[in-house]
Amino acid sequence: MRRFLEADPPTEADGYSFATEYDGPPLTYDIPRACPIDVDRIPLAALAPPSASRPDPPLVLPFPSPKRPPQVPFASPTSVIENHADVSGALGSSGFLDPSTEPSEVADGSGAVWFSGDLKGVAASSSDIIPNRLSLESALSLGFSCRSPASCYEDGEDDIAMQAEEASVGTFQESGQSSYSMSPSIGVTPQTRSEELETKIKKGACYMCLKGSRFTEKETCLVCDARYCSSCVLTAMGSMPEGRKCVSCIGSPILESNRERLGKSSRLLKRLLSSLEVEQVVKAEKNSEANQLRPEHICVNGKKLSLEEMVLLQSCPCPPPTLKPGLYWYDKVSGYWGKEGHRPDRIITPNLNIGGALMQNASNGNTGILINGREITKVELQMLKWAGVSCAGNPHFWLNADGTYLEEGQKNIKGKIWGKPIMKLLCPVLSLPFPDKVANPSGEEVNDLVRRVVSEYLDKKTLQKLLLVGNHGSGTSTIFKQAKFLYRSVPFSEDERQDIKLMIQTSIYNYIGILLEGRELFEEESLAERKGNQQLHSSGDAELDKEKIVTEYSINPRLKAFSDWLLKVMASGNLEDIFPAATREYAPLVEELWNDSAIQATYKRRSELQPIPSIASCFLERVVDISRVEYEPSDMDILYADGITTSNGLACVDFHFPQLPCAGMSINDHDHQETSSRYQLIRVQNKGLGENCRWLHLFEDVRIVIFCVSLTDYDEYQEDLNGVVLNKMMENKRLFEIIARAFEQINFLLILSKFDLLEQKIDTAPLTLCKWFDGFDPVVSHHPRNNSRNNQGTNIESTRAEQAFQYVAVKFKRLFLSITGRKLFVTRANGLDSDSVNAAIRYASEIIKWDGEWSMCDSVESMYNTEPSFFSH
Amino acid sequence: MTRVHGTSRAAAPAPFTPSAPLNTVLARPSRTVAAALPRLPFRRPLLLSVTSLSPNARSVAPPPSFLQSHSPQCGDEELGEEFLIFGYWAWLMSFSELKDRHVAATATVNTLRDRLNQKRQQLLDTDVAGYAKSQGRTAVNFCSTDLVCCRTLQGHTGKVYSLDWTSEKNRIVSASQDGRLIIWNALTSQKTHAIKLPCAWVMTCAFAPNGHSVACGGLDSECSIFNLNSQVDRYGNIPVSRVLTGHKGYVSSCEFVRDQDTRLITGSGDQTCVLWDVTTGQRISVFGGEFPSGHTSDVLSISINSSNSNIFVSGSCDATARLWDTRIASRAIRTYQGHYGDVNTVKFFPDGQRFGTGSDDGTCRLFDMRTGHQLQVYSQQQANNDQDIPIVTSIAFSISGRLLFAGYSNGDCYVWDTLLAEVVVNLGKLQNSHEGRISCLGLSADGSALCTGSWDKNLKIWAFGGHRKVI
């Protein structure tokens, strides 16, 4: 093509202009002429891959148009050079179809014919000059990837065909004639259409640049129907976060007449954007909340739908077609669906839990016969009669989804309405619905859909990411699970519950293993003790007695055998292979073990063993119950379970805050904003993800880091790899420093958990056990105000815990300030208390929301929210 | 013992406790004890008293945690025997005594290790560059147009983290923080597949040798396998064909075993490497973890030997690289020290007798696999006073091994002459180079092209452009 262009330069380019009229006699032959090539308008965005094999694009001789208005000084379409100027912009020449032109110029109907010829020319020319563009597109888009460059010609033609179609659809959509197709290469029937063309011509221009004609490929705003040409559409619509809408229309609901277009990508979009982007736009368009049918506009059985009901209705296997705002009735049992006051319109999927209860007068019948409590119309009565249902005495029927019917209150099925083949023919006669397929899924299955669809549907909204991080035992997993319970309608899927069940079942054996190990230890200890005592008292028959000595830690031989076996299995690391599967067989043994006095005695001394969570007893007591196959962990069990998934990797949950019911108007507005933003809580555990925090850079897009620290860590210790015993609070500090350094620009919220446990032990174990807190001075006498305030209504212990909490908070705040120079937010939460978790997470969302405002004012005095006199300076 | 001991670390040794009546007759421990050590649970090293074990003396072993911390590093053979005996003896002593000895022994091991390294240094009289210079070799010389960026693969909307080439065709799989894997045709730069991942935090991806499936892993601690030929579901996503679960930490690296489509090796943040059977989803063997001589920190990278697929090497946050034989899972064959920072990347030299490493300390090193000697350090002589030495994120060797491509966190991508340890060219300074950190790079199977992936969301393909005119 390039060669062709060079060999045949546009000779008359200088003198040529659209304005010059050809005033000679009508020509009988075609004169090759060249239009000036506007280089800028030829879309040449990128270079073709040099090595891609590109066969010479086929040259197609365009049709000579059958009839051409002689007064139009337009060049013949025989030359492929001519129409360059039109490729990206107007299809017709701008002079010809400019909105300012008088409509009479095209009124004779030949305009359309001309148009077809013109298009053909463009088709040919574009097929020739387009390879560059095509290869660009194919390089960028998945959609093109399967096409070989050899199909360039078809592409070009398709392109034009689509353009024409788009244009026509865009123009005539309101007039309801979108069914015809306007193929450029086929003879057109212009007479019927020319009037419409004429009347719409003024509207053809682009709303932004006011150029172009109705044939220009344009994109229409779904909200205000504004049309933009290809060069303006990106300016006008921006990044299209909700699909094809003007920037000013974002957030507004779309026109109902545009609903069919929703999610159908156009050629123009495909040309302007890469296919991944198109995919995203289309998906956003389909899924964004503003574009959905407002659930409150749809009323089923006298009750407005909620969002979830709405999604359920639309995603069921047989949804009502073309759902429009209005009042409907829905017979849950049979699946009948209709407009309120009208006969049934359709049979949709039954058993959907939507709307209110079906009312007797839903379809405004007057026959006195009830089906599932709805008085049927005369037409339906006729149908029943044809179906062979005896309707004498105004009976009341129950009708099932499969067509079986029975009399109200009776048990025996009287027959099947849809059983007769003739019904399939008769129903349309009465314009009554007939079920598509008799087989319908059960209710649970249907209602299960909602979860998946909702999550998919809300997928693309901009997410505010919250990173929840903390050391092992800091309560991150409990807070995460609590958040799931708080904000998700279905907190845990079946799989997740299964996973947690296995976790609980395995952990039981872990606990019991620790106890058994401890038991042996204690048994030996006490044996040794006794031996020592015996040696003191009698030295004679010690050897004989040794085997018979029974300590309080001894267990009977059967249990002993089991215990030995279990320990061996654990030692060999096969516990995971055996246990979730074999829990059931050993459950009675475990229970027996647990109830054995030796184990109980060991359990009392559990503080000397490896940590067993206090919750272990809870699970161990119910071991038989838990080990059953059909055991379903309760919500509490899930909260108590150790961890979230067996792999203990990353877990994330998307949520939004549920709208607060019945609040004042102003608050409602505020809340609306809040609900519109979506959050993703990502929980990573330091333990699961390695000690070195190599994963930190993966979370650069989080909005807030929620760091969890257990307040009880200050007197607890753990050993690191080298066997060095470390204070867990110091470990928290170390991790906090690492993470604060990594996320220097991100807000932090510190959650101090397990305050209740701190209250219990603050008296026996002073906070100063941790060397970081050695400045803690619980003597409160010289802070009388503080003291008197805290003493009100509470005892001195809680005050001390309170002070300890404040002190720890301030320590972390100072640390954070020294690292990042910014303020650390601190709150307190108990993972088992849903209200406190809710408060903490809402606090986090507030921080995100006010982020901007805070960055403005960095007031120093707000740095500390506790009395500065608190510290010993 | 009033303190509550937490074991929040997977490999933290349990506190030593007095145990074991003295009447048990112990067999003299041998080296096989270490090898015959039972597999231990990940979560919690169990401290077993002798009575709970079978009378079979061979399985009577000292506490594994003890072995772990005291076990000799590979290479110092004579140390091992003694330490095991010492460990055994010490094991029978009381707690406090034992603990003291533990500390002392750890110190001894460390000093011995240092001495070993010193000795190694003494024995190392030359490096590759010195020898090559003495032989009169001259460095490879590239002019600026010899290596050019001939394709830019655009399409990811997040940072690119990993890439891999197919073994036969010119296809690339790339993994990005936008939660997608994209399969590219490197010649045409077309995308052939885009796979949406269930977990967006992906860190690694790999092509199967047959080119029909890809594997990826990340923060979900799972390795997911996708079959490219499987039917897409109704959302247009390729379903996961197999999930390999079992890691307790993020999956940092994965690679298919070259001649076996069903075998896959992963490296993970839980300090282990695992050999998987992809068809069954089962772990075949676990390398490291509770075993002695395993990595003591996150495994960041693995590379399988090209000439013997039973051998692979792993690099870790503990600043070492370790060599493993898939047939002997119990212990690392050899440990390679020398780096001062996390070993981010390891790659076998094409001949399979050496391997290269890249580290947080900003250097690349070449190690001899068999002797364990460090052959060469590749580092820029920079002003080291500033803290911001760019770290090496990824390396690759040319087919001949003469060139070493190394990506750095500052966006540089040096091409090193492996013989003379000189930088041939810096791709980061060329035209059309990346704007962000180079996170991954790989050479095509025929060696004709290099692909680099970057945090600027793009991948670029570099090829020799000396005699070709590039449009």
Side-chain angles (χ1 to χ4, degrees):
Chain A
M1 183 59 215
R2 205 168 283 149
R3 263 180 285 120
F4 186 39
L5 277 176
E6 281 157 10
D8 201 1
T11 45
E12 296 180 31
D14 291 338
Y16 183 86
S17 110
F18 282 121
T20 317
E21 258 192 30
Y22 174 69
D23 50 7
L27 293 174
T28 52
Y29 56 93
D30 296 327
I31 304 165
R33 288 189 190 177
C35 300
I37 298 170
D38 187 352
V39 179
D40 291 337
R41 302 193 72 173
I42 302 172
L44 277 173
L47 293 169
S51 55
S53 64
R54 193 195 309 148
D56 284 334
L59 286 182
V60 171
L61 284 178
F63 279 45
S65 50
K67 185 171 150 196
R68 228 171 341 129
Q71 76 273 23
V72 178
F74 203 81
S76 149
T78 39
S79 162
V80 287
I81 320 166
E82 289 171 338
N83 294 317
H84 278 193
D86 304 329
V87 169
S88 71
L91 281 177
S93 85
S94 55
F96 178 51
L97 285 173
D98 194 272
S100 60
T101 322
E102 280 178 22
S104 64
E105 270 196 36
V106 280
D108 61 357
S110 60
V113 178
W114 210 94
F115 172 59
S116 80
D118 190 13
L119 272 177
K120 192 62 201 175
V122 175
S125 66
S126 64
S127 76
D128 290 335
I129 58 152
I130 267 171
N132 271 335
R133 205 189 82 206
L134 275 182
S135 58
L136 154 75
E137 275 184 1
S138 58
L140 288 180
S141 72
L142 277 171
F144 274 61
S145 59
C146 52
R147 297 188 183 181
S148 69
S151 65
C152 273
Y153 168 64
E154 281 144 42
D155 279 354
E157 199 175 40
D158 282 353
D159 203 347
I160 304 304
M162 283 295 288
Q163 282 172 6
E165 225 160 15
E166 276 293 317
S168 63
V169 170
T171 316
F172 301 116
Q173 205 179 31
E174 290 89 345
S175 56
Q177 293 196 12
S178 56
S179 55
Y180 67 79
S181 76
M182 193 165 157
S183 168
S185 55
I186 305 168
V188 195
T189 53
Q191 273 74 23
T192 54
R193 219 179 304 141
S194 54
E195 291 90 7
E196 286 157 17
L197 284 172
E198 185 187 335
T199 52
K200 299 284 179 186
I201 192 154
K202 291 244 177 189
K203 293 188 180 172
C206 165
Y207 277 46
M208 191 164 236
C209 59
L210 302 175
K211 283 185 200 144
S213 70
R214 63 187 183 279
F215 301 122
T216 321
E217 201 184 357
K218 278 193 277 304
E219 201 53 81
T220 314
C221 170
L222 290 167
V223 178
C224 61
D225 260 344
R227 294 191 186 81
Y228 301 102
C229 67
S230 58
S231 49
C232 301
V233 68
L234 288 183
T235 330
M237 298 193 179
S239 61
M240 309 192 209
E242 293 182 352
R244 286 163 288 182
K245 289 179 176 183
C246 321
V247 174
S248 54
C249 295
I250 285 171
S252 340
I254 62 165
L255 281 186
E256 283 306 316
S257 55
N258 283 336
R259 189 160 296 286
E260 296 94 86
R261 286 176 56 219
L262 206 61
K264 293 193 179 90
S265 128
S266 71
R267 197 73 188 179
L268 184 83
L269 272 191
K270 279 188 186 152
R271 214 180 65 198
L272 289 171
L273 305 171
S274 79
S275 83
L276 262 182
E277 285 170 307
V278 170
E279 197 179 283
Q280 269 173 1
V281 165
V282 166
K283 206 163 176 193
E285 190 170 294
K286 262 194 282 190
N287 294 334
S288 86
E289 236 167 317
N291 294 357
Q292 304 302 314
L293 210 51
R294 290 300 168 102
E296 60 266 26
H297 292 162
I298 292 185
C299 206
V300 174
N301 295 344
K303 200 176 145 203
K304 285 178 184 170
L305 291 189
S306 73
L307 177 65
E308 284 190 2
E309 286 174 326
M310 172 83 185
V311 174
L312 181 62
L313 179 63
Q314 285 181 319
S315 60
C316 68
C318 324
T322 61
L323 198 58
K324 288 189 177 126
L327 306 174
Y328 295 95
W329 60 265
Y330 170 53
D331 181 349
K332 211 175 281 186
V333 187
S334 66
Y336 268 130
W337 170 270
K339 279 193 176 174
E340 225 170 79
H342 292 84
R343 63 176 169 214
D345 178 45
R346 175 95 18 186
I347 294 179
I348 64 166
T349 310
N351 297 324
L352 301 173
N353 289 325
I354 53 171
L358 184 63
M359 286 168 296
Q360 187 173 345
N361 59 354
S363 52
N364 217 2
N366 51 3
T367 52
I369 298 170
L370 300 190
I371 287 184
N372 295 340
R374 175 182 58 92
E375 194 165 355
I376 62 172
T377 54
K378 275 185 181 158
V379 194
E380 286 173 275
L381 180 62
Q382 187 63 47
M383 184 216 38
L384 286 185
K385 279 179 185 160
W386 284 351
V389 181
S390 73
C391 298
N394 292 351
H396 295 181
F397 290 115
W398 281 343
L399 176 64
N400 289 326
D402 56 0
T404 55
Y405 68 95
L406 36 144
E407 273 200 53
E408 211 169 285
Q410 305 281 311
K411 241 182 139 179
N412 47 335
I413 291 167
K414 294 189 73 177
K416 247 183 147 178
I417 288 190
W418 315 125
K420 288 186 187 171
I422 189 80
M423 290 306 291
K424 200 167 183 175
L425 298 172
L426 289 176
C427 279
V429 173
L430 296 171
S431 53
L432 279 177
F434 187 82
D436 290 343
K437 278 172 207 142
V438 179
N440 265 321
S442 66
E444 298 89 79
E445 237 177 281
V446 168
N447 288 313
D448 239 22
L449 279 170
V450 72
R451 191 183 59 239
R452 196 181 61 232
V453 176
V454 166
S455 66
E456 178 75 13
Y457 157 91
L458 299 166
D459 192 30
K460 283 290 163 177
K461 281 229 55 165
T462 49
L463 280 172
Q464 312 273 25
K465 293 183 182 171
L466 302 99
L467 181 66
L468 182 63
V469 64
N471 262 325
H472 183 60
S474 60
T476 48
S477 76
T478 321
I479 289 175
F480 181 83
K481 283 181 279 191
Q482 193 67 261
K484 275 195 133 181
F485 279 119
L486 276 168
Y487 307 122
R488 297 299 295 261
S489 56
V490 185
F492 289 91
S493 70
E494 205 43 52
D495 289 349
E496 286 168 325
R497 280 183 182 267
Q498 278 300 322
D499 210 19
I500 288 170
K501 177 176 145 188
L502 292 186
M503 255 165 47
I504 294 174
Q505 287 175 347
T506 317
S507 64
I508 283 181
Y509 287 90
N510 262 323
Y511 300 147
I512 209 88
I514 298 171
L515 287 177
L516 286 174
E517 204 183 313
R519 185 202 65 79
E520 282 185 1
L521 205 69
F522 296 146
E523 189 180 31
E524 278 154 22
E525 257 176 36
S526 55
L527 270 176
E529 223 170 84
R530 289 239 186 132
K531 211 165 118 192
N533 288 344
Q534 272 182 358
Q535 275 169 352
L536 279 180
H537 298 304
S538 66
S539 53
D541 48 0
E543 296 94 348
L544 283 177
D545 284 352
K546 209 170 70 181
E547 263 109 59
K548 290 171 192 166
I549 291 173
V550 175
T551 67
E552 61 169 325
Y553 299 108
S554 303
I555 50 177
N556 69 42
R558 197 167 60 90
L559 290 180
K560 174 91 179 123
F562 173 66
S563 148
D564 287 351
W565 174 79
L566 185 65
L567 286 174
K568 214 193 293 179
V569 166
M570 287 177 85
S572 61
N574 295 329
L575 192 71
E576 285 166 17
D577 301 340
I578 295 177
F579 262 113
T583 35
R584 207 174 160 190
E585 286 123 72
Y586 298 104
L589 266 175
V590 171
E591 193 188 30
E592 201 180 321
L593 258 181
W594 170 249
N595 292 329
D596 196 282
S597 60
I599 293 294
Q600 286 295 334
T602 313
Y603 184 69
K604 286 199 188 87
R605 290 174 64 182
R606 66 180 183 276
S607 58
E608 298 165 43
L609 298 170
Q610 292 188 46
I612 299 182
S614 51
I615 213 62
S617 60
C618 221
F619 286 136
L620 283 169
E621 271 156 23
R622 293 166 32 214
V623 62
V624 175
D625 187 31
I626 286 172
S627 306
R628 279 186 300 127
V629 179
E630 30 332 328
Y631 162 69
E632 286 295 324
S634 70
D635 289 358
M636 247 3 215
D637 290 348
I638 290 176
L639 274 185
Y640 282 139
D642 195 16
I644 298 165
T645 56
T646 40
S647 64
N648 211 7
L650 170 140
C652 64
V653 58
D654 294 358
F655 67 93
H656 67 279
F657 293 114
Q659 197 143 8
L660 291 176
C662 59
M665 230 10 234
S666 59
I667 300 172
N668 252 344
D669 287 348
H670 173 77
D671 276 350
H672 188 74
Q673 267 190 340
E674 192 180 67
T675 48
S676 65
S677 48
R678 306 202 49 78
Y679 300 90
Q680 184 177 42
L681 187 66
I682 307 160
R683 180 264 195 174
V684 285
Q685 199 183 38
N686 194 30
K687 182 188 166 193
L689 295 178
E691 303 292 321
N692 296 53
C693 302
R694 302 284 304 192
W695 39 268
L696 279 178
H697 52 74
L698 295 166
F699 294 100
E700 278 173 357
D701 55 345
V702 297
R703 294 295 307 276
I704 188 166
V705 178
I706 304 176
F707 191 88
C708 283
V709 170
S710 163
L711 276 169
T712 55
D713 276 354
Y714 67 95
D715 68 333
E716 290 174 15
Y717 295 85
Q718 64 185 25
E719 282 181 69
D720 74 352
L721 288 171
N722 305 320
V724 182
V725 176
L726 294 166
N727 185 296
K728 281 170 88 175
M729 191 56 91
M730 299 309 281
E731 277 295 285
N732 281 327
K733 183 187 170 206
R734 191 183 64 85
L735 181 65
F736 183 78
E737 282 173 359
I738 293 174
I739 294 179
R741 289 215 167 84
F743 295 116
E744 235 173 303
Q745 299 307 316
I746 295 168
N747 281 313
F748 266 63
L749 172 67
L750 178 70
I751 293 185
L752 295 172
S753 62
K754 300 191 182 168
F755 183 73
D756 46 343
L757 295 178
L758 176 75
E759 281 178 334
Q760 284 170 22
K761 78 174 185 186
I762 186 79
D763 287 326
T764 51
L767 197 62
T768 45
L769 276 177
C770 172
K771 66 174 187 287
W772 193 29
F773 299 140
D774 54 4
F776 179 61
D777 182 12
V779 179
V780 289
S781 56
H782 52 274
H783 305 301
R785 271 190 58 237
N786 187 12
N787 195 15
S788 64
R789 201 191 58 199
N790 282 343
N791 267 338
Q792 279 170 1
T794 79
N795 53 22
I796 192 81
E797 281 81 15
S798 76
T799 309
R800 188 173 292 173
E802 190 74 31
Q803 285 172 339
F805 163 74
Q806 299 286 13
Y807 184 80
V808 173
V810 167
K811 273 291 188 188
F812 271 103
K813 283 182 181 208
R814 290 190 153 185
L815 179 65
F816 189 72
L817 186 69
S818 70
I819 294 170
T820 66
R822 286 181 306 117
K823 180 183 166 163
L824 173 72
F825 303 94
V826 183
T827 186
R828 177 162 88 189
N830 180 0
L832 299 178
D833 172 17
S834 62
D835 289 342
S836 72
V837 172
N838 187 17
I841 293 177
R842 275 182 187 271
Y843 187 33
S845 71
E846 297 286 304
I847 294 170
I848 294 174
K849 226 190 294 175
W850 296 336
D851 190 20
E853 299 164 36
W854 271 323
S855 62
M856 299 287 205
C857 53
D858 46 1
S859 53
V860 186
E861 62 270 13
S862 67
M863 284 299 180
Y864 306 101
N865 63 1
T866 42
E867 277 88 331
S869 59
F870 216 106
F871 332 104
S872 46
H873 291 289
Chain B
M1 291 271 294
T2 50
R3 288 169 168 181
V4 179
H5 282 270
T7 52
S8 78
R9 287 168 177 241
F16 291 107
T17 38
S19 58
L22 293 161
N23 56 1
T24 317
V25 181
L26 295 169
R28 183 180 174 274
S30 66
R31 292 193 62 81
T32 54
V33 171
L37 257 185
R39 274 175 61 203
L40 286 157
F42 280 103
R43 280 178 56 77
R44 206 170 54 87
L46 257 186
L47 190 62
L48 293 178
S49 57
V50 175
T51 46
S52 70
L53 284 166
S54 67
N56 178 3
R58 270 186 67 104
S59 69
V60 175
S65 49
F66 188 84
L67 268 185
Q68 187 185 4
S69 46
H70 288 249
S71 68
Q73 295 301 319
C74 313
D76 20 5
E77 316 270 326
E78 70 289 342
L79 233 86
E81 201 93 334
E82 283 171 22
F83 263 83
L84 281 175
I85 297 164
F86 168 71
Y88 241 48
W89 177 60
W91 181 48
L92 302 172
M93 302 192 328
S94 72
F95 178 61
S96 57
E97 221 174 325
L98 195 83
K99 193 151 192 178
D100 292 343
R101 283 181 180 272
H102 178 208
V103 173
T106 314
T108 321
V109 168
N110 284 335
T111 49
L112 284 173
R113 187 180 292 150
D114 287 345
R115 272 174 52 195
L116 196 76
N117 282 337
Q118 279 169 15
K119 188 78 184 167
R120 236 186 235 292
Q121 291 292 323
Q122 282 171 18
L123 291 173
L124 207 62
D125 52 351
T126 182
D127 57 11
V128 174
Y131 181 74
K133 278 190 188 116
S134 71
Q135 294 288 305
R137 306 293 286 265
T138 50
V140 181
N141 194 12
F142 271 22
C143 76
S144 61
T145 56
D146 279 353
L147 208 53
V148 293
C149 169
C150 52
R151 299 278 188 289
T152 300
L153 308 182
Q154 288 175 317
H156 278 301
T157 55
K159 297 175 193 166
V160 178
Y161 266 82
S162 176
L163 67 87
D164 192 28
W165 288 78
T166 42
S167 49
E168 76 282 11
K169 285 185 201 143
N170 288 307
R171 287 191 296 160
I172 297 172
V173 60
S174 63
S176 154
Q177 268 338 99
D178 58 9
R180 277 175 199 277
L181 295 183
I182 295 184
I183 321 275
W184 310 80
N185 183 331
L187 274 185
T188 62
S189 61
Q190 285 169 337
K191 309 178 189 84
T192 58
H193 299 79
I195 303 171
K196 191 167 186 294
L197 300 174
C199 172
W201 293 274
V202 58
M203 299 176 96
T204 179
C205 61
F207 243 120
N210 61 11
H212 294 315
S213 52
V214 290
C216 71
L219 287 192
D220 54 359
S221 308
E222 290 167 350
C223 185
S224 313
I225 316 282
F226 294 90
N227 188 343
L228 298 182
N229 300 328
S230 53
Q231 286 292 317
V232 293
D233 65 9
R234 67 192 180 106
Y235 303 109
N237 299 328
I238 293 180
V240 185
S241 63
R242 175 70 63 193
V243 180
L244 309 176
T245 54
H247 273 303
K248 300 283 189 222
Y250 61 88
V251 176
S252 58
S253 172
C254 65
E255 189 176 339
F256 278 93
V257 178
R258 183 174 34 83
D259 40 9
Q260 292 161 304
D261 275 333
T262 58
R263 298 288 165 91
L264 174 81
I265 298 178
T266 56
S268 160
D270 63 9
Q271 313 177 357
T272 65
C273 304
V274 171
L275 173 68
W276 303 87
D277 186 326
V278 176
T279 42
T280 62
Q282 296 296 311
R283 281 183 286 189
I284 298 171
S285 30
V286 181
F287 307 91
E290 294 299 330
F291 289 112
S293 78
H295 279 295
T296 56
S297 191
D298 309 7
V299 176
L300 297 177
S301 174
I302 59 153
S303 175
I304 301 173
N305 194 321
S306 48
S307 50
N308 178 359
S309 60
N310 287 317
I311 305 280
F312 74 98
V313 67
S314 62
S316 156
C317 280
D318 61 11
T320 65
R322 284 171 212 247
L323 185 72
W324 306 86
D325 190 324
T326 53
R327 296 159 297 191
I328 312 162
S330 55
R331 54 182 295 139
I333 301 173
R334 195 149 280 137
T335 302
Y336 305 88
Q337 283 158 346
H339 278 295
Y340 299 107
D342 305 356
V343 178
N344 292 322
T345 171
V346 288
K347 199 74 169 184
F348 259 107
F349 201 73
D351 69 355
Q353 297 300 320
R354 282 149 272 276
F355 65 91
T357 56
S359 158
D360 268 4
D361 62 16
T363 63
C364 301
R365 287 165 204 252
L366 188 66
F367 288 96
D368 188 89
M369 181 179 84
R370 286 171 302 183
T371 64
H373 282 308
Q374 172 187 304
L375 299 176
Q376 182 64 50
V377 183
Y378 303 95
S379 72
Q380 278 290 63
Q381 294 303 319
Q382 284 174 334
N384 283 342
N385 47 10
D386 61 327
Q387 290 290 309
D388 301 326
I389 306 167
I391 65 174
V392 183
T393 57
S394 184
I395 60 166
F397 286 102
S398 66
I399 287 285
S400 66
R402 185 68 194 270
L403 300 178
L404 167 67
F405 304 94
Y408 292 81
S409 57
N410 61 352
D412 280 345
C413 181
Y414 290 141
V415 182
W416 290 93
D417 184 332
T418 45
L419 267 189
L420 289 143
E422 287 171 18
V423 176
V424 177
V425 68
N426 179 2
L427 298 183
K429 294 281 183 288
L430 293 184
Q431 220 180 348
N432 299 327
S433 63
H434 285 292
E435 284 153 19
R437 164 195 286 231
I438 309 276
S439 51
C440 49
L441 48 80
L443 218 69
S444 67
D446 61 354
S448 62
L450 172 80
C451 184
T452 54
S454 162
W455 283 9
D456 68 4
K457 304 173 186 176
N458 294 331
L459 295 115
K460 285 180 191 292
I461 296 177
W462 306 81
F464 182 67
H467 309 301
R468 255 177 284 171
K469 190 174 179 296
V470 178
I471 307 164

